[in-house]
Amino acid sequence: MNPESEPTDQTAERRRQARENAEYHHAAAARAAEAEARRTAPMVAAFAEAMRSAGVEPTRLRARPYSGGGRLRTDVVGWYVRRDLRAAVGTDGRWYVLVVAPSLRGRLTGVHVEPSDAPLQVGAGGRDGDSVDLAVLLQLRLDAGQDFPS
């Protein structure tokens, strides 16, 4: 065996192994996210139905830019679920994160916000006290009724 080719073979093997590890972890993370979405989607949809049944009027939602001040109009109608107005549930029963890229066009015409999968733990990884279980957050918001910032 050629001694010059041996290190290259080891390097190639390490790269192959690293790529396989990365693919495995990416697939595992995707499976976990899908499982979480299957658990949270019915909770969010039930919340929207409960808000309608309770007679709580939805409002046209506004988003905050990543940086800077102000709020931008969105094309979504629903109910804010966090007091900082960064997350909401639309009348369509979907979860919306209301933080968007700042833009002059958005300030003038409004922004389109795509629904996303709701997390089981809202605010996880944030400051102390920002994290709350989704079921608890939705129940607290439902209990607040119309007495909630908008």
Side-chain angles (χ1 to χ4, degrees):
M1 184 169 209
N2 184 353
E4 292 177 6
S5 67
E6 199 169 313
T8 305
D9 292 342
Q10 290 174 352
T11 302
E13 178 60 24
R14 281 194 303 268
R15 287 184 182 146
R16 184 192 64 76
Q17 186 64 41
R19 184 176 50 254
E20 286 179 5
N21 288 343
E23 290 169 356
Y24 171 80
H25 288 290
H26 177 73
R31 285 190 305 274
E34 289 172 12
E36 186 171 303
R38 282 193 303 273
R39 289 180 62 194
T40 60
M43 293 168 44
V44 173
F47 169 81
E49 184 57 39
M51 291 294 275
R52 279 192 288 274
S53 296
V56 180
E57 290 296 319
T59 185
R60 170 94 33 207
L61 302 174
R62 293 180 166 267
R64 294 183 181 274
Y66 297 135
S67 59
R71 292 168 64 192
L72 309 173
R73 291 184 316 269
T74 71
D75 54 351
V76 181
V77 175
W79 303 272
Y80 293 104
V81 294
R82 290 181 53 121
R83 292 209 177 264
D84 64 5
L85 309 180
R86 293 181 185 266
V89 173
T91 54
D92 59 357
R94 303 284 309 268
W95 181 262
Y96 291 89
V97 175
L98 300 173
V99 180
V100 297
S103 74
L104 178 59
R105 183 178 190 163
R107 290 210 180 270
L108 298 174
T109 62
V111 294
H112 174 71
V113 181
E114 289 289 332
S116 60
D117 295 329
L120 279 172
Q121 198 67 28
V122 179
R127 298 181 311 227
D128 287 347
D130 279 354
S131 180
V132 62
D133 185 71
L134 178 64
V136 172
L137 179 68
L138 295 178
Q139 187 59 51
L140 288 171
R141 175 57 184 99
L142 184 59
D143 293 345
Q146 291 287 12
D147 186 30
F148 202 82
S150 58

